[in-house]
mmCIF file of all heavy atoms in Angstrom:
data_model
loop_
_atom_site.group_PDB
_atom_site.id
_atom_site.type_symbol
_atom_site.label_atom_id
_atom_site.label_comp_id
_atom_site.label_asym_id
_atom_site.label_seq_id
_atom_site.Cartn_x
_atom_site.Cartn_y
_atom_site.Cartn_z
ATOM 1 N N GLU A 461 19.335 -29.778 52.397
ATOM 2 C CA GLU A 461 18.438 -30.224 51.386
ATOM 3 C C GLU A 461 18.341 -31.794 51.355
ATOM 4 O O GLU A 461 17.360 -32.368 50.960
ATOM 5 C CB GLU A 461 18.976 -29.746 49.987
ATOM 6 C CG GLU A 461 18.769 -28.244 49.752
ATOM 7 C CD GLU A 461 17.283 -27.807 49.807
ATOM 8 O OE1 GLU A 461 16.399 -28.698 49.564
ATOM 9 O OE2 GLU A 461 17.019 -26.722 50.135
ATOM 10 N N ASP A 462 19.505 -32.482 51.701
ATOM 11 C CA ASP A 462 19.497 -33.912 51.738
ATOM 12 C C ASP A 462 18.507 -34.464 52.686
ATOM 13 O O ASP A 462 17.668 -35.340 52.438
ATOM 14 C CB ASP A 462 20.865 -34.449 51.974
ATOM 15 C CG ASP A 462 20.928 -36.006 51.978
ATOM 16 O OD1 ASP A 462 20.507 -36.550 50.878
ATOM 17 O OD2 ASP A 462 21.242 -36.642 52.995
ATOM 18 N N LEU A 463 18.451 -33.876 53.949
ATOM 19 C CA LEU A 463 17.557 -34.336 54.905
ATOM 20 C C LEU A 463 16.139 -33.998 54.564
ATOM 21 O O LEU A 463 15.242 -34.765 54.788
ATOM 22 C CB LEU A 463 17.903 -33.761 56.326
ATOM 23 C CG LEU A 463 19.216 -34.303 56.940
ATOM 24 C CD1 LEU A 463 19.397 -33.725 58.247
ATOM 25 C CD2 LEU A 463 19.204 -35.906 57.037
ATOM 26 N N LEU A 464 15.933 -32.809 53.974
ATOM 27 C CA LEU A 464 14.537 -32.380 53.505
ATOM 28 C C LEU A 464 14.054 -33.331 52.476
ATOM 29 O O LEU A 464 12.897 -33.666 52.458
ATOM 30 C CB LEU A 464 14.603 -30.982 52.961
ATOM 31 C CG LEU A 464 14.432 -29.789 53.993
ATOM 32 C CD1 LEU A 464 14.669 -28.483 53.262
ATOM 33 C CD2 LEU A 464 13.094 -29.793 54.632
ATOM 34 N N SER A 465 14.940 -33.714 51.569
ATOM 35 C CA SER A 465 14.569 -34.645 50.527
ATOM 36 C C SER A 465 14.125 -35.955 51.001
ATOM 37 O O SER A 465 13.122 -36.612 50.591
ATOM 38 C CB SER A 465 15.677 -34.785 49.455
ATOM 39 O OG SER A 465 15.281 -35.700 48.437
ATOM 40 N N VAL A 466 14.974 -36.467 52.003
ATOM 41 C CA VAL A 466 14.606 -37.777 52.654
ATOM 42 C C VAL A 466 13.229 -37.690 53.382
ATOM 43 O O VAL A 466 12.409 -38.574 53.271
ATOM 44 C CB VAL A 466 15.714 -38.249 53.598
ATOM 45 C CG1 VAL A 466 15.202 -39.434 54.455
ATOM 46 C CG2 VAL A 466 16.987 -38.563 52.782
ATOM 47 N N LEU A 467 13.046 -36.579 54.085
ATOM 48 C CA LEU A 467 11.784 -36.417 54.837
ATOM 49 C C LEU A 467 10.638 -36.369 53.858
ATOM 50 O O LEU A 467 9.564 -36.970 54.093
ATOM 51 C CB LEU A 467 11.872 -35.088 55.680
ATOM 52 C CG LEU A 467 10.633 -34.692 56.376
ATOM 53 C CD1 LEU A 467 10.236 -35.788 57.383
ATOM 54 C CD2 LEU A 467 10.764 -33.373 57.092
ATOM 55 N N ARG A 468 10.789 -35.630 52.720
ATOM 56 C CA ARG A 468 9.734 -35.462 51.766
ATOM 57 C C ARG A 468 9.376 -36.847 51.209
ATOM 58 O O ARG A 468 8.106 -37.198 51.069
ATOM 59 C CB ARG A 468 10.251 -34.608 50.623
ATOM 60 C CG ARG A 468 9.128 -34.160 49.674
ATOM 61 C CD ARG A 468 9.666 -33.169 48.618
ATOM 62 N NE ARG A 468 9.981 -31.828 49.142
ATOM 63 C CZ ARG A 468 11.221 -31.384 49.318
ATOM 64 N NH1 ARG A 468 12.233 -32.167 48.979
ATOM 65 N NH2 ARG A 468 11.455 -30.181 49.873
ATOM 66 N N THR A 469 10.309 -37.644 50.853
ATOM 67 C CA THR A 469 10.026 -39.011 50.236
ATOM 68 C C THR A 469 9.400 -39.939 51.345
ATOM 69 O O THR A 469 8.534 -40.675 51.028
ATOM 70 C CB THR A 469 11.317 -39.598 49.771
ATOM 71 O OG1 THR A 469 11.944 -38.750 48.841
ATOM 72 C CG2 THR A 469 11.050 -40.887 49.090
ATOM 73 N N TYR A 470 9.875 -39.865 52.480
ATOM 74 C CA TYR A 470 9.407 -40.762 53.636
ATOM 75 C C TYR A 470 7.945 -40.531 53.911
ATOM 76 O O TYR A 470 7.135 -41.396 53.948
ATOM 77 C CB TYR A 470 10.304 -40.499 54.859
ATOM 78 C CG TYR A 470 9.879 -41.268 56.073
ATOM 79 C CD1 TYR A 470 9.935 -42.663 56.043
ATOM 80 C CD2 TYR A 470 9.383 -40.703 57.257
ATOM 81 C CE1 TYR A 470 9.560 -43.457 57.187
ATOM 82 C CE2 TYR A 470 9.053 -41.401 58.276
ATOM 83 C CZ TYR A 470 9.145 -42.745 58.311
ATOM 84 O OH TYR A 470 8.766 -43.559 59.438
ATOM 85 N N LEU A 471 7.562 -39.226 53.907
ATOM 86 C CA LEU A 471 6.180 -38.891 54.187
ATOM 87 C C LEU A 471 5.277 -39.135 53.005
ATOM 88 O O LEU A 471 4.162 -39.566 53.149
ATOM 89 C CB LEU A 471 6.016 -37.458 54.669
ATOM 90 C CG LEU A 471 6.782 -37.085 55.952
ATOM 91 C CD1 LEU A 471 6.731 -35.581 56.145
ATOM 92 C CD2 LEU A 471 6.134 -37.808 57.167
ATOM 93 N N ALA A 472 5.818 -38.848 51.732
ATOM 94 C CA ALA A 472 5.018 -39.094 50.595
ATOM 95 C C ALA A 472 4.672 -40.583 50.316
ATOM 96 O O ALA A 472 3.749 -40.902 49.692
ATOM 97 C CB ALA A 472 5.732 -38.544 49.316
#
Side-chain angles (χ1 to χ4, degrees):
E461 291 297 334
D462 181 57
L463 291 183
L464 274 174
S465 179
V466 169
L467 176 62
R468 189 178 290 109
T469 305
Y470 179 62
L471 295 173

